């Protein structure tokens, strides 16, 4: 009873515009032009493609999947919103971020900054958007009490792992290259299903492990929300990922995760996380289009009998920061 009263108190702790209803005419694909960071051309010297997200939207528009009128524009988080996760001391050193809203399924074209924890940034990550999304849901949406994070970025997601280390409500599966950044042994204690890969892992082994462990994770704990960190730095040739997954392998990987969630009626949020090649934006767009082709996203996916996840509230707030520490 005390926990419930405390939780209800948190729900009314501050007013926020982030927990908002989205018109059914809008696809739950979240984007804002401010996601694309420019600084007099200096961003071109950085390994992170700061314009990646805008390119993804451009490709989706070319294929007539999205328009300016049917995507969800990300909202800006207030200081009070960010304090749900971050300490005042940490926020004093940073600028604003963007958050977005969600319903049954959603793809935030930005976000997935999984190296940032509540009090420390790292690895191009300034805001703990995954942590913030889940904590907002726990505190503000009735019926959301368990979350699963499936992190398939090439790097260990040590930020959200540190934040949820002692939180039994959050189940974390992480598949990553064991030899690269961050090698955070302390954070690894939070991983319930750990899959460590070697240099140059290719499609066959990778997809087999992703499917096996995704099914295993969702069978072990039935979550109320699945946050899928879909990093494309697993792509062959990525300068930071060290794996050898093909573009087709990435499309198949995303399909595996969405299909597993759909079979169980679990709402899913996909964020795009790392990916450090110029062709990454096209690959992300192609994967999103494949999800539509497979009937896993789009209006028809929401309406399909027995196949669509049913949100426990009229709308479901899920957030994603859209600022990288470049």
């Amino acid at each position: 009873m005390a926990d419930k009263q405390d939780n209800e108190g948190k729900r009314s702790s501050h007013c926020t515009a982030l927990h908002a209803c989205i018109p059914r005419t809008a696809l739950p694909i979240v984007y804002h032009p401010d996601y694309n960071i420019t600084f007099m051309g200096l961003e071109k010297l950085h390994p992170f493609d700061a314009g990646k997200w805008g390119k993804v939207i451009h490709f989706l528009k070319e294929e007539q999947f999205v328009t300016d009128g049917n995507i969800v524009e990300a909202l800006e988080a207030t200081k009070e919103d960010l304090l749900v996760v971050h300490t005042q001391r940490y926020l004093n050193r940073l600028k604003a971020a963007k958050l977005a809203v969600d319903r049954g399924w959603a793809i935030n074209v930005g976000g997935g900054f999984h190296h940032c924890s509540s009090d420390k940034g790292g690895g191009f990550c300034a805001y703990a958007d995954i942590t913030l999304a889940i904590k907002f849901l726990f505190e503000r949406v009735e019926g959301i009490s368990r979350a699963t994070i499936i992190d398939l970025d090439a790097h260990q997601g040590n930020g959200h792992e540190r934040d949820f280390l002692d939180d039994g409500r959050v189940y974390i599966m992480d598949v990553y290259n064991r030899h690269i950044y961050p090698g955070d042994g302390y954070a690894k204690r939070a991983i319930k299903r750990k899959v460590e890969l070697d240099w140059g892992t290719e499609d066959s082994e990778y997809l087999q492990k992703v499917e096996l462990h995704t099914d295993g994770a969702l069978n072990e704990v039935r979550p109320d929300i699945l946050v899928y960190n879909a990093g494309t730095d697993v792509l062959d040739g990525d300068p930071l990922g060290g794996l050898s997954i093909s573009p087709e392998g990435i499309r198949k990987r995303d399909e595996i995760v969405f299909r597993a969630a759909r079979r169980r009626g679990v709402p899913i949020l996909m964020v795009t996380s790392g990916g450090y090649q110029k062709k990454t934006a096209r690959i992300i767009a192609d994967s999103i289009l494949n999800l539509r082709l497979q009937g896993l996203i789009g209006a028809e996916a929401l309406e399909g009998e027995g196949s669509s996840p049913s949100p426990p509230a009229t709308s479901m707030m899920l957030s994603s920061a859209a600022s990288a520490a470049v």
Side-chain angles (χ1 to χ4, degrees):
M1 178 64 72
D3 290 343
K4 182 177 180 181
Q5 289 173 342
D6 181 60
N7 196 43
E8 289 174 351
K10 289 181 180 179
R11 287 194 183 106
S12 60
S13 60
H14 79 282
C15 294
T16 179
L18 298 176
H19 184 216
C21 293
I22 299 301
R24 301 299 294 184
T25 54
L27 287 171
I29 294 180
V30 181
Y31 172 71
H32 194 286
D34 286 351
Y35 282 14
N36 305 292
I37 303 165
T38 60
F39 187 71
M40 298 182 292
L42 292 179
E43 71 280 355
K44 296 178 182 178
L45 303 178
H46 196 278
F48 193 91
D49 182 3
K52 174 175 71 175
W53 303 294
K55 295 172 187 174
V56 173
I57 292 297
H58 171 75
F59 293 137
L60 294 179
K61 285 181 177 178
E62 281 190 334
E63 298 296 328
Q64 300 181 349
F65 182 39
V66 302
T67 66
D68 288 335
N70 72 1
I71 60 175
V72 177
E73 184 173 290
L75 303 176
E76 185 167 1
T78 66
K79 175 182 173 182
E80 289 73 22
D81 292 324
L82 294 173
L83 283 170
V84 169
V85 172
H86 291 290
T87 63
Q88 180 63 61
R89 180 181 178 187
Y90 180 65
L91 290 182
N92 286 341
R93 305 198 300 268
L94 298 172
K95 296 182 179 180
K98 300 290 179 182
L99 303 183
V101 292
D102 172 60
R103 64 178 186 245
W105 65 270
I107 298 171
N108 195 314
V109 176
F113 301 125
H114 64 158
H115 298 306
C116 184
S117 60
S118 61
D119 63 352
K120 184 180 179 182
F124 313 152
C125 303
Y127 293 102
D129 59 330
I130 292 174
T131 301
L132 184 60
I134 291 172
K135 287 199 171 186
F136 255 86
L137 286 173
F138 284 165
E139 294 184 3
R140 294 179 176 271
V141 179
E142 295 293 340
I144 302 291
S145 60
R146 292 174 297 181
T148 290
I149 300 169
I150 292 182
D151 195 331
L152 301 187
D153 186 275
H155 301 80
Q156 176 200 350
N158 62 320
H160 58 74
E161 289 162 7
R162 283 177 171 262
D163 286 336
F164 293 120
L165 185 63
D166 298 314
D167 193 332
R169 300 172 298 175
V170 180
Y171 183 104
I172 297 175
M173 167 181 156
D174 202 346
V175 181
Y176 56 89
N177 184 340
R178 72 174 77 212
H179 303 291
I180 60 175
Y181 177 89
D184 190 336
Y186 177 80
K188 287 180 184 180
R189 297 190 300 160
I191 304 173
K192 301 296 194 300
R193 189 171 286 261
K194 178 173 61 178
V195 184
E196 295 188 321
L197 305 174
D198 288 314
W199 294 108
T201 298
E202 297 181 348
D203 285 15
S204 179
E205 177 186 351
Y206 181 72
L207 293 174
Q208 182 181 29
K209 289 181 174 178
V210 166
E211 186 162 22
L212 173 67
H213 290 285
T214 296
D215 282 335
L218 294 176
N219 287 341
E220 188 172 338
V221 174
R222 174 66 175 267
D224 301 308
I225 181 66
L226 168 59
V227 178
Y228 170 37
N229 201 41
T232 46
D233 51 2
V234 300
L235 183 67
D236 186 29
D238 189 280
L240 301 182
L243 302 177
S244 299
I245 309 306
S246 70
E248 175 58 31
I250 289 175
R251 289 194 294 273
K252 181 63 176 176
R253 176 199 69 174
D254 294 348
E255 183 181 332
I256 287 170
V257 177
F258 269 78
R259 199 173 294 283
R262 180 53 49 88
R263 283 199 303 266
R264 296 165 175 82
V266 176
I268 179 171
L269 167 66
M270 170 178 160
V271 290
T272 59
S273 202
Y276 307 96
Q277 299 184 74
K278 294 298 182 184
K279 59 184 177 182
T280 295
R282 178 75 258 183
I283 291 169
I284 294 171
D286 285 345
S287 183
I288 293 172
L289 293 168
N290 179 63
L291 292 173
R292 179 184 65 164
L293 180 66
Q294 299 299 325
L296 295 170
I297 65 172
E300 64 278 7
L302 293 173
E303 296 167 0
E305 181 179 353
S307 63
S308 63
S310 300
T314 303
S315 69
M316 191 179 302
M317 199 297 302
L318 282 176
S319 62
S320 186
S323 175
V326 295

